Each structure stands twice: as structure tokens, then as C-alpha cells.
Amino acid sequence: MNNQTPNSKLRTVNVMRYVMPLREGGSLPALADADDGFSYVLKFRGAGQREKALIAELLGGEIARLLGFKVPELVFANLDEAFGRSEGDEEIQDLLKGSQGLNLALHFLSKALTFDPGATLVDPLLASKIVWLDAYITNVDRTFRNTNMLIWNRELWLIDHGASFLFHHSWDNWQKHAEGPFPTIKTHVLLPYASELEVVDLEFKKTLTRAVIRTIVDLIPDEWILASRDVEDAEEGRAIYESFLIKRLEFSGVFIKEAEDARKALI
């Protein structure tokens, strides 16, 4: 996988048509058509963990892209205040009303297949890279129950990073989260194959410089940061995300040891 240049700006599209909900659950993502002629998986700011899930999706997806993983294009998706008024389902109509303004969407990979760990082998280096990424961003949601990986055009794609960055649900403890292990890694679907974590650590720490981390953090819209009222200034919020990511790199040995110990218990 070749390293990528971090996006300094995301495209913005206007949502034209709500097509269908994609699965049950609190977040209720949907398939939607936009004014650029493409279809997207739309993540709503009015659902579940609200803007924090969008921030995690944005940061996690763009960090993954920077590290060379295949990730569907992320775009900002504008939802007009008139959108959804004709929607018959009251729950969906409330969701759409509560999501007016800027949302996040991923390019829809038509005919993609859900990754099946029993049917597709992942080599140790790639498995280690994915496990490292998820331990780094504290992503709890890449398990056998929900792999959040797709096979599209015979290649592995990563999706759904909205359950990452656990610290931002309790801002006061961000340093503790940054320096600590990630016990949930024991449930990672690819952990049994992740035998190259130390090799990956050296490679990824060279790529994740302070400058590129800052470029990714700068993508977060002010309104998403301020919506939760955890900080009074959007730049203060960005600075915390940046500091978390940098300090997490400094303490990567902690989460690597946690992953290696959990792996030894499995094999």
C-alpha cells in the first residue's frame, strides 16, 4: 500500500434524494443520491452519537487513507431544511429534520461484499496494519460480529470508523486514553493474524508526522466541534484531537503490547 497525501479539503455535495435506510440501529445511515450524480452512504449529524460520530468517521477514515488503506471517498453532504418533508416514516423524517446542514457521506461501493473472515485470507502484514490502525484510533467496531470491511473489485476496503476516538465522549480524560492500552483490541477480527505489529509501528510512525496529523484535524468543521459544548472554541477542540493523536504515537508501545498479549492468548 502506498502512502497518500492527506486531504486538505473535502468536496461538498448537496443531498438530492433519500433512497433507503441501510440497516437497523441508532445511527440509521442511508443510501442517498447527491447533485454530483453519485450515490453515497449518508451519516447523519442528528443520529446516535451525533456530530461526534461524524468527527470520528472523518478522522478515522482520513487517517486510514493517509496510511495507504482503501477507504471510500468522504465528502461533506449538505442537507437542505426542506429535505425530507415528504418522507412518510416519522422516525426518518425526524432524523432528517435534525440533520439539516452539514453531514458526512461515503462514496457508495455498488455490489461490494461484506468481508467474511472465514472465506477471505488476510496476510499478516495487512492484518497487522489494520489492527494497529484500530488500536491507534481506539476503534471498537471491527469484530467478527461487525467487520466493517468490504470486498470491492477483489480488494479490501475499510468503512465505518464512527465508533473510534472514545476519549471525546469524556474530554477530561483524553490524556489517559492517549497513553493507555486498548483492551477492546482482543475482539478484533484480524488479531489472530497480526504478527507484524512492531514492523508496522515503525512504518506508520514515520508517516504520521505532526504536520499531516494537523492537516487531517483541520478538516473538522467548527460547527461539529462546538455542537457538543465540550469546548468553547473550535480551535481548542482541534488542538485536543491533535494532541491525542500525537501522544498516542508516543505511547504506541503500550497498545502494541496489549495487542500482542491478547493475540498470544488466542493462538
Side-chain angles (χ1 to χ4, degrees), residues 42-99:
L42 184 58
K43 303 294 183 78
F44 296 100
R45 64 186 301 178
Q49 299 295 333
R50 297 190 61 83
E51 289 84 358
K52 288 184 178 180
L54 303 190
I55 292 172
E57 187 79 64
L58 173 59
L59 294 178
E62 289 304 307
I63 288 171
R65 190 189 318 283
L66 172 72
L67 293 175
F69 296 104
K70 293 191 175 297
V71 181
E73 181 191 8
L74 290 167
V75 299
F76 293 126
N78 189 55
L79 210 60
D80 186 87
E81 63 179 18
F83 191 86
R85 287 178 180 171
S86 60
E87 172 60 47
D89 186 305
E90 289 187 10
E91 182 180 12
I92 294 176
Q93 188 176 100
D94 289 343
L95 177 65
L96 297 175
K97 287 180 179 178
S99 302

CSV table of all heavy atoms in Angstrom, one decimal, residues 42-99:
chain,number,residue,atom,x,y,z
A,42,LEU,N,-24.9,7.9,3.6
A,42,LEU,CA,-25.0,9.2,4.3
A,42,LEU,C,-25.1,8.9,5.8
A,42,LEU,O,-25.9,8.1,6.3
A,42,LEU,CB,-26.3,9.9,3.9
A,42,LEU,CG,-26.6,11.3,4.4
A,42,LEU,CD1,-25.4,12.3,4.1
A,42,LEU,CD2,-27.9,11.8,3.8
A,43,LYS,N,-24.2,9.6,6.6
A,43,LYS,CA,-24.1,9.5,8.0
A,43,LYS,C,-24.7,10.9,8.6
A,43,LYS,O,-24.2,11.9,8.2
A,43,LYS,CB,-22.7,9.3,8.5
A,43,LYS,CG,-22.0,8.1,8.0
A,43,LYS,CD,-22.6,6.8,8.4
A,43,LYS,CE,-21.9,5.6,7.9
A,43,LYS,NZ,-20.7,5.3,8.7
A,44,PHE,N,-25.7,10.8,9.4
A,44,PHE,CA,-26.5,11.9,9.8
A,44,PHE,C,-26.0,12.5,11.2
A,44,PHE,O,-25.7,11.8,12.1
A,44,PHE,CB,-27.9,11.6,10.0
A,44,PHE,CG,-28.6,11.2,8.7
A,44,PHE,CD1,-28.8,9.8,8.5
A,44,PHE,CD2,-29.1,12.1,7.8
A,44,PHE,CE1,-29.5,9.4,7.3
A,44,PHE,CE2,-29.7,11.7,6.6
A,44,PHE,CZ,-29.9,10.4,6.4
A,45,ARG,N,-25.9,13.8,11.2
A,45,ARG,CA,-25.5,14.5,12.4
A,45,ARG,C,-26.6,14.4,13.5
A,45,ARG,O,-26.3,14.7,14.7
A,45,ARG,CB,-25.1,16.0,12.1
A,45,ARG,CG,-26.3,16.8,11.6
A,45,ARG,CD,-25.9,18.2,11.2
A,45,ARG,NE,-25.3,19.0,12.3
A,45,ARG,CZ,-24.8,20.2,12.1
A,45,ARG,NH1,-24.8,20.8,11.0
A,45,ARG,NH2,-24.2,20.8,13.2
A,46,GLY,N,-27.8,14.1,13.1
A,46,GLY,CA,-28.8,14.1,14.1
A,46,GLY,C,-29.1,12.7,14.7
A,46,GLY,O,-30.0,12.5,15.4
A,47,ALA,N,-28.2,11.7,14.3
A,47,ALA,CA,-28.4,10.3,14.8
A,47,ALA,C,-27.4,10.0,15.9
A,47,ALA,O,-26.3,10.5,16.0
A,47,ALA,CB,-28.2,9.4,13.6
A,48,GLY,N,-27.8,9.0,16.7
A,48,GLY,CA,-26.9,8.3,17.7
A,48,GLY,C,-26.0,9.3,18.4
A,48,GLY,O,-26.5,10.1,19.2
A,49,GLN,N,-24.7,9.1,18.2
A,49,GLN,CA,-23.7,10.0,18.9
A,49,GLN,C,-23.5,11.3,18.2
A,49,GLN,O,-22.6,12.1,18.5
A,49,GLN,CB,-22.4,9.3,18.9
A,49,GLN,CG,-22.4,7.9,19.7
A,49,GLN,CD,-22.7,8.1,21.2
A,49,GLN,OE1,-22.4,9.2,21.7
A,49,GLN,NE2,-23.3,7.1,21.8
A,50,ARG,N,-24.4,11.7,17.3
A,50,ARG,CA,-24.5,13.0,16.7
A,50,ARG,C,-23.1,13.4,16.0
A,50,ARG,O,-22.5,12.5,15.4
A,50,ARG,CB,-25.0,14.0,17.7
A,50,ARG,CG,-26.4,13.8,18.2
A,50,ARG,CD,-26.9,15.0,18.9
A,50,ARG,NE,-27.0,16.2,18.1
A,50,ARG,CZ,-28.0,16.5,17.3
A,50,ARG,NH1,-29.0,15.7,17.2
A,50,ARG,NH2,-28.0,17.6,16.6
A,51,GLU,N,-22.7,14.6,16.2
A,51,GLU,CA,-21.6,15.1,15.5
A,51,GLU,C,-20.3,14.4,15.9
A,51,GLU,O,-19.3,14.3,15.1
A,51,GLU,CB,-21.4,16.6,15.7
A,51,GLU,CG,-22.4,17.5,15.0
A,51,GLU,CD,-23.7,17.6,15.8
A,51,GLU,OE1,-23.8,17.0,16.9
A,51,GLU,OE2,-24.6,18.4,15.3
A,52,LYS,N,-20.2,13.8,17.1
A,52,LYS,CA,-19.0,13.1,17.5
A,52,LYS,C,-18.8,11.9,16.6
A,52,LYS,O,-17.6,11.5,16.3
A,52,LYS,CB,-19.1,12.7,19.0
A,52,LYS,CG,-18.9,13.9,19.9
A,52,LYS,CD,-18.9,13.5,21.3
A,52,LYS,CE,-18.7,14.8,22.2
A,52,LYS,NZ,-18.7,14.5,23.7
A,53,ALA,N,-19.8,11.2,16.2
A,53,ALA,CA,-19.7,10.1,15.3
A,53,ALA,C,-19.1,10.5,14.0
A,53,ALA,O,-18.3,9.8,13.3
A,53,ALA,CB,-21.0,9.3,15.2
A,54,LEU,N,-19.6,11.7,13.5
A,54,LEU,CA,-19.1,12.2,12.2
A,54,LEU,C,-17.6,12.6,12.3
A,54,LEU,O,-16.9,12.4,11.4
A,54,LEU,CB,-19.9,13.4,11.8
A,54,LEU,CG,-21.5,13.2,11.6
A,54,LEU,CD1,-22.1,14.4,11.0
A,54,LEU,CD2,-21.8,11.9,10.9
A,55,ILE,N,-17.2,13.2,13.4
A,55,ILE,CA,-15.8,13.6,13.6
A,55,ILE,C,-15.0,12.3,13.6
A,55,ILE,O,-13.9,12.3,13.0
A,55,ILE,CB,-15.7,14.4,14.9
A,55,ILE,CG1,-16.3,15.7,14.8
A,55,ILE,CG2,-14.2,14.5,15.3
A,55,ILE,CD1,-16.4,16.5,16.1
A,56,ALA,N,-15.4,11.3,14.3
A,56,ALA,CA,-14.6,10.1,14.4
A,56,ALA,C,-14.6,9.4,13.0
A,56,ALA,O,-13.5,8.9,12.6
A,56,ALA,CB,-15.3,9.1,15.4
A,57,GLU,N,-15.7,9.4,12.3
A,57,GLU,CA,-15.7,8.9,10.9
A,57,GLU,C,-14.7,9.6,10.0
A,57,GLU,O,-13.9,9.0,9.2
A,57,GLU,CB,-17.1,9.0,10.3
A,57,GLU,CG,-17.3,8.3,9.0
A,57,GLU,CD,-17.4,6.8,9.1
A,57,GLU,OE1,-18.4,6.3,9.7
A,57,GLU,OE2,-16.5,6.1,8.6
A,58,LEU,N,-14.7,11.0,10.1
A,58,LEU,CA,-13.8,11.8,9.3
A,58,LEU,C,-12.4,11.6,9.6
A,58,LEU,O,-11.6,11.3,8.7
A,58,LEU,CB,-14.2,13.3,9.5
A,58,LEU,CG,-13.3,14.3,8.9
A,58,LEU,CD1,-13.3,14.1,7.4
A,58,LEU,CD2,-13.8,15.7,9.2
A,59,LEU,N,-12.0,11.6,10.9
A,59,LEU,CA,-10.6,11.5,11.3
A,59,LEU,C,-10.1,10.0,11.0
A,59,LEU,O,-9.1,9.8,10.5
A,59,LEU,CB,-10.4,11.8,12.8
A,59,LEU,CG,-10.7,13.2,13.2
A,59,LEU,CD1,-10.5,13.4,14.7
A,59,LEU,CD2,-9.7,14.2,12.5
A,60,GLY,N,-10.9,9.1,11.4
A,60,GLY,CA,-10.5,7.7,11.2
A,60,GLY,C,-10.4,7.3,9.8
A,60,GLY,O,-9.4,6.7,9.4
A,61,GLY,N,-11.3,7.8,8.9
A,61,GLY,CA,-11.3,7.5,7.5
A,61,GLY,C,-10.1,8.1,6.8
A,61,GLY,O,-9.4,7.5,6.0
A,62,GLU,N,-9.8,9.4,7.2
A,62,GLU,CA,-8.7,10.1,6.5
A,62,GLU,C,-7.4,9.6,7.0
A,62,GLU,O,-6.4,9.6,6.2
A,62,GLU,CB,-8.9,11.6,6.7
A,62,GLU,CG,-10.1,12.2,5.8
A,62,GLU,CD,-9.9,11.8,4.4
A,62,GLU,OE1,-8.9,12.1,3.8
A,62,GLU,OE2,-10.9,11.2,3.8
A,63,ILE,N,-7.3,9.2,8.3
A,63,ILE,CA,-6.0,8.6,8.8
A,63,ILE,C,-5.7,7.3,8.0
A,63,ILE,O,-4.6,7.0,7.6
A,63,ILE,CB,-6.1,8.5,10.3
A,63,ILE,CG1,-6.0,9.8,11.0
A,63,ILE,CG2,-4.9,7.6,10.8
A,63,ILE,CD1,-6.2,9.8,12.5
A,64,ALA,N,-6.8,6.5,7.9
A,64,ALA,CA,-6.7,5.2,7.2
A,64,ALA,C,-6.2,5.5,5.8
A,64,ALA,O,-5.3,4.8,5.2
A,64,ALA,CB,-8.0,4.5,7.2
A,65,ARG,N,-6.8,6.5,5.1
A,65,ARG,CA,-6.4,6.8,3.7
A,65,ARG,C,-4.9,7.2,3.6
A,65,ARG,O,-4.2,6.8,2.8
A,65,ARG,CB,-7.3,7.9,3.2
A,65,ARG,CG,-7.2,8.1,1.7
A,65,ARG,CD,-7.9,9.3,1.2
A,65,ARG,NE,-9.2,9.4,1.8
A,65,ARG,CZ,-10.3,8.7,1.4
A,65,ARG,NH1,-10.2,7.8,0.4
A,65,ARG,NH2,-11.5,8.9,2.0
A,66,LEU,N,-4.5,8.0,4.6
A,66,LEU,CA,-3.2,8.5,4.6
A,66,LEU,C,-2.2,7.3,4.8
A,66,LEU,O,-1.1,7.3,4.2
A,66,LEU,CB,-3.0,9.5,5.8
A,66,LEU,CG,-1.5,9.9,6.1
A,66,LEU,CD1,-1.0,10.8,5.0
A,66,LEU,CD2,-1.4,10.6,7.4
A,67,LEU,N,-2.6,6.3,5.5
A,67,LEU,CA,-1.7,5.2,5.8
A,67,LEU,C,-1.7,4.2,4.6
A,67,LEU,O,-1.1,3.2,4.7
A,67,LEU,CB,-2.1,4.5,7.1
A,67,LEU,CG,-1.8,5.4,8.4
A,67,LEU,CD1,-2.4,4.6,9.6
A,67,LEU,CD2,-0.4,5.7,8.5
A,68,GLY,N,-2.5,4.5,3.6
A,68,GLY,CA,-2.5,3.7,2.4
A,68,GLY,C,-3.6,2.7,2.3
A,68,GLY,O,-3.7,1.9,1.3
A,69,PHE,N,-4.6,2.7,3.2
A,69,PHE,CA,-5.7,1.8,3.1
A,69,PHE,C,-6.7,2.3,2.1
A,69,PHE,O,-6.7,3.5,1.8
A,69,PHE,CB,-6.4,1.6,4.4
A,69,PHE,CG,-5.6,1.0,5.5
A,69,PHE,CD1,-5.0,1.8,6.5
A,69,PHE,CD2,-5.4,-0.4,5.6
A,69,PHE,CE1,-4.3,1.2,7.5
A,69,PHE,CE2,-4.6,-0.9,6.6
A,69,PHE,CZ,-4.1,-0.2,7.5
A,70,LYS,N,-7.4,1.4,1.5
A,70,LYS,CA,-8.5,1.7,0.6
A,70,LYS,C,-9.8,2.1,1.4
A,70,LYS,O,-10.3,1.3,2.2
A,70,LYS,CB,-8.8,0.6,-0.4
A,70,LYS,CG,-7.7,0.4,-1.3
A,70,LYS,CD,-8.1,-0.6,-2.5
A,70,LYS,CE,-6.9,-0.7,-3.5
A,70,LYS,NZ,-6.6,0.6,-4.1
A,71,VAL,N,-10.2,3.3,1.3
A,71,VAL,CA,-11.3,3.9,2.0
A,71,VAL,C,-12.2,4.6,1.0
A,71,VAL,O,-11.7,5.4,0.2
A,71,VAL,CB,-10.9,4.8,3.1
A,71,VAL,CG1,-12.1,5.4,3.9
A,71,VAL,CG2,-9.9,4.2,4.1
A,72,PRO,N,-13.5,4.4,1.0
A,72,PRO,CA,-14.4,5.2,0.1
A,72,PRO,C,-14.2,6.7,0.3
A,72,PRO,O,-14.0,7.1,1.4
A,72,PRO,CB,-15.8,4.7,0.5
A,72,PRO,CG,-15.6,3.4,1.2
A,72,PRO,CD,-14.3,3.5,1.9
A,73,GLU,N,-14.3,7.4,-0.8
A,73,GLU,CA,-14.2,8.9,-0.7
A,73,GLU,C,-15.2,9.5,0.4
A,73,GLU,O,-16.3,9.1,0.3
A,73,GLU,CB,-14.4,9.6,-2.0
A,73,GLU,CG,-14.2,11.1,-1.9
A,73,GLU,CD,-14.7,11.8,-3.2
A,73,GLU,OE1,-15.3,11.2,-4.0
A,73,GLU,OE2,-14.5,13.1,-3.3
A,74,LEU,N,-14.7,10.3,1.2
A,74,LEU,CA,-15.5,11.0,2.2
A,74,LEU,C,-15.8,12.4,1.7
A,74,LEU,O,-14.9,13.1,1.1
A,74,LEU,CB,-14.8,11.1,3.5
A,74,LEU,CG,-14.6,9.9,4.4
A,74,LEU,CD1,-13.6,10.1,5.5
A,74,LEU,CD2,-15.9,9.4,4.9
A,75,VAL,N,-17.1,12.8,1.8
A,75,VAL,CA,-17.5,14.1,1.4
A,75,VAL,C,-18.4,14.7,2.4
A,75,VAL,O,-19.1,14.0,3.2
A,75,VAL,CB,-18.2,14.1,0.0
A,75,VAL,CG1,-17.4,13.6,-1.1
A,75,VAL,CG2,-19.5,13.3,0.1
A,76,PHE,N,-18.4,16.1,2.5
A,76,PHE,CA,-19.4,16.7,3.3
A,76,PHE,C,-20.7,16.7,2.5
A,76,PHE,O,-20.7,17.0,1.3
A,76,PHE,CB,-19.0,18.2,3.6
A,76,PHE,CG,-17.8,18.3,4.5
A,76,PHE,CD1,-16.7,19.0,4.1
A,76,PHE,CD2,-17.8,17.7,5.7
A,76,PHE,CE1,-15.5,19.1,4.9
A,76,PHE,CE2,-16.7,17.8,6.6
A,76,PHE,CZ,-15.5,18.5,6.2
A,77,ALA,N,-21.8,16.5,3.2
A,77,ALA,CA,-23.1,16.3,2.5
A,77,ALA,C,-24.1,17.3,3.1
A,77,ALA,O,-24.4,17.2,4.3
A,77,ALA,CB,-23.6,14.9,2.6
A,78,ASN,N,-24.5,18.3,2.3
A,78,ASN,CA,-25.4,19.3,2.8
A,78,ASN,C,-26.9,18.9,2.7
A,78,ASN,O,-27.3,18.4,1.6
A,78,ASN,CB,-25.2,20.6,2.1
A,78,ASN,CG,-25.9,21.8,2.7
A,78,ASN,OD1,-25.8,22.0,3.9
A,78,ASN,ND2,-26.7,22.4,1.9
A,79,LEU,N,-27.6,19.0,3.8
A,79,LEU,CA,-29.0,18.6,3.8
A,79,LEU,C,-29.8,19.9,3.9
A,79,LEU,O,-29.8,20.6,5.0
A,79,LEU,CB,-29.3,17.7,5.0
A,79,LEU,CG,-30.4,16.6,4.8
A,79,LEU,CD1,-30.1,15.7,3.6
A,79,LEU,CD2,-30.5,15.8,6.1
A,80,ASP,N,-30.6,20.2,2.9
A,80,ASP,CA,-31.4,21.4,2.9
A,80,ASP,C,-32.5,21.3,3.9
A,80,ASP,O,-33.0,20.2,4.2
A,80,ASP,CB,-32.0,21.7,1.5
A,80,ASP,CG,-32.7,23.0,1.4
A,80,ASP,OD1,-32.0,24.0,1.2
A,80,ASP,OD2,-33.9,23.0,1.6
A,81,GLU,N,-33.0,22.4,4.5
A,81,GLU,CA,-34.0,22.4,5.5
A,81,GLU,C,-35.3,21.9,5.0
A,81,GLU,O,-36.2,21.4,5.7
A,81,GLU,CB,-34.2,23.8,6.1
A,81,GLU,CG,-34.7,24.8,5.2
A,81,GLU,CD,-34.9,26.2,5.8
A,81,GLU,OE1,-34.4,26.4,6.9
A,81,GLU,OE2,-35.6,27.0,5.3
A,82,ALA,N,-35.5,21.9,3.7
A,82,ALA,CA,-36.8,21.4,3.1
A,82,ALA,C,-36.7,19.9,2.8
A,82,ALA,O,-37.7,19.3,2.5
A,82,ALA,CB,-37.1,22.2,1.8
A,83,PHE,N,-35.5,19.4,2.9
A,83,PHE,CA,-35.4,18.0,2.5
A,83,PHE,C,-36.1,17.0,3.5
A,83,PHE,O,-36.1,17.2,4.7
A,83,PHE,CB,-33.9,17.6,2.6
A,83,PHE,CG,-33.5,16.3,2.0
A,83,PHE,CD1,-33.3,16.2,0.6
A,83,PHE,CD2,-33.5,15.1,2.7
A,83,PHE,CE1,-33.0,14.9,0.0
A,83,PHE,CE2,-33.2,13.9,2.2
A,83,PHE,CZ,-33.0,13.8,0.8
A,84,GLY,N,-36.8,16.1,3.0
A,84,GLY,CA,-37.5,15.1,3.8
A,84,GLY,C,-38.9,15.4,4.3
A,84,GLY,O,-39.5,14.6,5.0
A,85,ARG,N,-39.4,16.5,3.9
A,85,ARG,CA,-40.7,16.9,4.4
A,85,ARG,C,-41.8,15.9,3.9
A,85,ARG,O,-42.8,15.7,4.5
A,85,ARG,CB,-41.1,18.3,3.9
A,85,ARG,CG,-40.3,19.4,4.6
A,85,ARG,CD,-40.7,20.8,4.1
A,85,ARG,NE,-40.0,21.8,4.8
A,85,ARG,CZ,-39.9,23.1,4.5
A,85,ARG,NH1,-40.6,23.5,3.4
A,85,ARG,NH2,-39.3,24.0,5.2
A,86,SER,N,-41.5,15.3,2.7
A,86,SER,CA,-42.5,14.3,2.2
A,86,SER,C,-42.2,12.9,2.6
A,86,SER,O,-43.0,12.0,2.2
A,86,SER,CB,-42.4,14.4,0.6
A,86,SER,OG,-41.1,14.0,0.2
A,87,GLU,N,-41.2,12.7,3.5
A,87,GLU,CA,-40.9,11.4,3.9
A,87,GLU,C,-42.1,10.9,4.8
A,87,GLU,O,-42.5,11.5,5.8
A,87,GLU,CB,-39.6,11.4,4.7
A,87,GLU,CG,-39.3,10.1,5.4
A,87,GLU,CD,-39.2,8.9,4.5
A,87,GLU,OE1,-38.5,9.0,3.4
A,87,GLU,OE2,-39.7,7.9,4.8
A,88,GLY,N,-42.6,9.6,4.5
A,88,GLY,CA,-43.7,9.1,5.2
A,88,GLY,C,-43.4,8.5,6.6
A,88,GLY,O,-44.2,8.5,7.5
A,89,ASP,N,-42.2,8.0,6.8
A,89,ASP,CA,-41.8,7.4,8.0
A,89,ASP,C,-41.4,8.5,9.0
A,89,ASP,O,-40.5,9.3,8.8
A,89,ASP,CB,-40.5,6.5,7.8
A,89,ASP,CG,-40.1,5.7,9.0
A,89,ASP,OD1,-39.9,6.3,10.0
A,89,ASP,OD2,-40.0,4.4,8.9
A,90,GLU,N,-42.1,8.5,10.1
A,90,GLU,CA,-41.9,9.6,11.1
A,90,GLU,C,-40.5,9.6,11.7
A,90,GLU,O,-39.9,10.7,11.9
A,90,GLU,CB,-43.0,9.5,12.2
A,90,GLU,CG,-44.4,9.9,11.7
A,90,GLU,CD,-45.4,10.0,12.9
A,90,GLU,OE1,-44.9,9.9,14.1
A,90,GLU,OE2,-46.6,10.1,12.6
A,91,GLU,N,-40.0,8.4,12.0
A,91,GLU,CA,-38.7,8.3,12.6
A,91,GLU,C,-37.6,8.9,11.6
A,91,GLU,O,-36.7,9.7,12.0
A,91,GLU,CB,-38.3,6.9,12.9
A,91,GLU,CG,-37.0,6.8,13.6
A,91,GLU,CD,-36.6,5.3,14.0
A,91,GLU,OE1,-37.3,4.4,13.5
A,91,GLU,OE2,-35.6,5.1,14.7
A,92,ILE,N,-37.7,8.5,10.3
A,92,ILE,CA,-36.8,9.0,9.3
A,92,ILE,C,-37.0,10.5,9.1
A,92,ILE,O,-36.0,11.3,9.0
A,92,ILE,CB,-36.9,8.3,8.0
A,92,ILE,CG1,-36.5,6.8,8.2
A,92,ILE,CG2,-36.1,8.9,6.9
A,92,ILE,CD1,-36.7,5.9,7.0
A,93,GLN,N,-38.2,11.0,9.1
A,93,GLN,CA,-38.5,12.4,9.0
A,93,GLN,C,-37.9,13.2,10.1
A,93,GLN,O,-37.2,14.3,9.9
A,93,GLN,CB,-40.0,12.7,8.9
A,93,GLN,CG,-40.3,14.1,8.5
A,93,GLN,CD,-41.8,14.3,8.4
A,93,GLN,OE1,-42.4,14.9,9.3
A,93,GLN,NE2,-42.3,14.0,7.2
A,94,ASP,N,-38.0,12.7,11.3
A,94,ASP,CA,-37.4,13.4,12.5
A,94,ASP,C,-35.8,13.4,12.3
A,94,ASP,O,-35.2,14.4,12.7
A,94,ASP,CB,-37.7,12.7,13.8
A,94,ASP,CG,-39.2,12.9,14.1
A,94,ASP,OD1,-39.8,13.9,13.6
A,94,ASP,OD2,-39.7,12.2,15.0
A,95,LEU,N,-35.3,12.3,11.9
A,95,LEU,CA,-33.8,12.2,11.7
A,95,LEU,C,-33.4,13.2,10.6
A,95,LEU,O,-32.4,13.9,10.8
A,95,LEU,CB,-33.5,10.8,11.2
A,95,LEU,CG,-32.0,10.6,10.9
A,95,LEU,CD1,-31.1,10.7,12.1
A,95,LEU,CD2,-31.8,9.2,10.3
A,96,LEU,N,-34.1,13.4,9.6
A,96,LEU,CA,-33.7,14.3,8.5
A,96,LEU,C,-33.9,15.8,9.0
A,96,LEU,O,-33.0,16.6,8.7
A,96,LEU,CB,-34.6,14.1,7.3
A,96,LEU,CG,-34.4,12.7,6.6
A,96,LEU,CD1,-35.4,12.6,5.4
A,96,LEU,CD2,-33.0,12.5,6.1
A,97,LYS,N,-34.9,16.0,9.7
A,97,LYS,CA,-35.1,17.4,10.3
A,97,LYS,C,-34.0,17.7,11.2
A,97,LYS,O,-33.5,18.9,11.3
A,97,LYS,CB,-36.5,17.5,11.0
A,97,LYS,CG,-37.7,17.5,10.1
A,97,LYS,CD,-38.9,17.7,10.9
A,97,LYS,CE,-40.2,17.7,9.9
A,97,LYS,NZ,-41.4,17.8,10.7
A,98,GLY,N,-33.5,16.8,12.0
A,98,GLY,CA,-32.5,17.0,13.0
A,98,GLY,C,-31.1,17.0,12.4
A,98,GLY,O,-30.1,17.2,13.1
A,99,SER,N,-31.0,16.8,11.1
A,99,SER,CA,-29.7,16.7,10.4
A,99,SER,C,-29.5,17.8,9.4
A,99,SER,O,-28.6,17.6,8.5
A,99,SER,CB,-29.5,15.3,9.8
A,99,SER,OG,-29.6,14.3,10.8
